[in-house]
Amino acid sequence: MTAPLSLATLAPEPDPRPVLIRIEGLNKHYGAFHVLRNIDLQVREGERIVLCGPSGSGKSTLIRCINRLEVAQQGSIQVDGIDLASTTREAAQVRSDIGMVFQHFNLFPHMSVLDNCLLAPTSVRGLSRKDAEERARMYLSKVGIESQAHKYPSQLSGGQQQRVAIARALCMKPRIMLFDEPTSALDPEMVAEVLDVLVQLAGTGMTMLCVTHEMGFARQVAERVLFLEGGQIIEDSPPQVFFNQPRTERAKGFLAQILH
């Protein structure tokens, strides 16, 4: 049985890193369904945060609001002090600095792996094809898939497609990476290869928010675990506290089910 953590262990050290993302009073509705309720959250530069909780708790909606794939009805999201809802050039630049990896890859099926990776850097960042291809090959190599550069998504396994999706997002050189259950659509034997890539990425100092049920990954990589229930963050703790001494009965029940 795990020994209780002392108060000294629980007391957090002051974090000198600047706040990169500031969310205040965020509320999101789908019709009558109140999916996010008064969310307040600060994310510091370089922080690695895992969001977990039952289905329908608002995890994916929250990170989709951060990159404006979803628009909340109330509240604000600022990155580096810039409101993402603004129509200014600065806000557009900040939004382009947020990378996203989806559950179902979202690769363009009619384009090769390499062309999937070239599209945004050339069209949004204005890179030449030569420079964009050099960058793309570098990131495809980092995720262990450069040899597949000229294949099409349909010719790849699910794990390979997800690694391409990660490389594609990295080709924009984002400051923030959002992952929406990046392994949940994969066969079990493919999960490990994608998690290995995420662990490597976490080691680079990238600011990361990841929705996942992979609790081993959360223990290994996360600095904070957010547990959502009913559209609210009901626990926000370091992983050693969340897994050993969850504060709420709801989190205890969730962990009992997912870790059995």
Side-chain angles (χ1 to χ4, degrees):
M1 185 170 177
T2 304
L5 298 175
S6 68
L7 290 178
T9 304
L10 293 173
E13 291 290 326
D15 194 327
R17 295 173 294 184
V19 173
L20 181 59
I21 304 171
R22 189 184 303 273
I23 300 174
E24 296 180 337
L26 201 70
N27 283 269
K28 170 69 178 173
H29 300 261
Y30 294 124
F33 180 41
H34 197 170
V35 63
L36 294 177
R37 299 171 179 269
N38 301 312
I39 297 287
D40 294 319
L41 177 65
Q42 292 185 8
V43 179
R44 294 184 180 275
E45 191 160 17
E47 250 191 319
R48 304 178 303 277
I49 295 177
V50 162
L51 296 85
C52 62
S55 179
S57 59
K59 311 178 297 296
S60 294
T61 301
L62 176 55
I63 65 166
R64 289 171 70 88
C65 284
I66 293 174
N67 71 349
R68 297 284 292 174
L69 285 176
E70 299 280 358
V71 179
Q73 284 86 0
Q74 292 176 291
S76 67
I77 301 175
Q78 296 183 349
V79 174
D80 256 358
I82 297 171
D83 187 347
L84 293 192
S86 169
T87 57
T88 63
R89 181 177 298 178
E90 290 83 359
Q93 174 63 50
V94 166
R95 288 194 293 269
S96 74
D97 286 337
I98 302 173
M100 181 91 177
V101 175
F102 300 89
Q103 179 178 352
H104 293 290
F105 324 137
N106 287 16
L107 300 174
F108 294 108
H110 63 288
M111 299 173 69
S112 70
V113 164
L114 184 61
D115 285 338
N116 264 280
C117 292
L118 295 179
L119 182 61
T122 54
S123 62
V124 177
R125 294 282 196 239
L127 261 65
S128 68
R129 183 178 174 91
K130 178 177 179 294
D131 289 343
E133 183 168 337
E134 183 178 322
R135 182 184 294 184
R137 289 189 179 278
M138 177 187 72
Y139 284 117
L140 288 169
S141 178
K142 282 184 180 293
V143 301
I145 206 164
E146 187 186 5
S147 62
Q148 312 296 324
H150 295 291
K151 289 187 177 179
Y152 289 85
S154 62
Q155 297 173 291
L156 306 180
S157 70
Q160 289 174 322
Q161 289 186 60
Q162 192 61 293
R163 283 188 281 158
V164 172
I166 294 169
R168 179 180 64 176
L170 292 175
C171 284
M172 288 290 283
K173 293 208 167 174
R175 294 184 65 190
I176 301 163
M177 281 289 288
L178 308 175
F179 297 91
D180 188 6
E181 302 200 34
T183 61
S184 64
L186 301 177
D187 293 333
E189 64 269 21
M190 297 176 184
V191 170
E193 67 183 66
V194 172
L195 290 179
D196 284 346
V197 171
L198 298 187
V199 170
Q200 291 172 30
L201 182 58
T204 67
M206 173 78 70
T207 305
M208 296 172 56
L209 288 89
C210 183
V211 174
T212 185
H213 288 107
E214 297 291 339
M215 294 297 99
F217 171 77
R219 285 181 186 271
Q220 181 179 0
V221 167
E223 294 178 67
R224 289 161 63 193
V225 178
L226 307 184
F227 181 76
L228 279 75
E229 167 73 8
Q232 297 179 301
I233 299 171
I234 65 171
E235 301 224 13
D236 179 352
S237 307
Q240 66 270 26
V241 175
F242 177 73
F243 288 108
N244 294 323
Q245 293 180 260
R247 296 190 306 270
T248 63
E249 290 302 316
R250 188 66 188 90
K252 289 176 186 176
F254 175 82
L255 288 171
Q257 282 188 323
I258 206 164
L259 297 176
H260 71 277

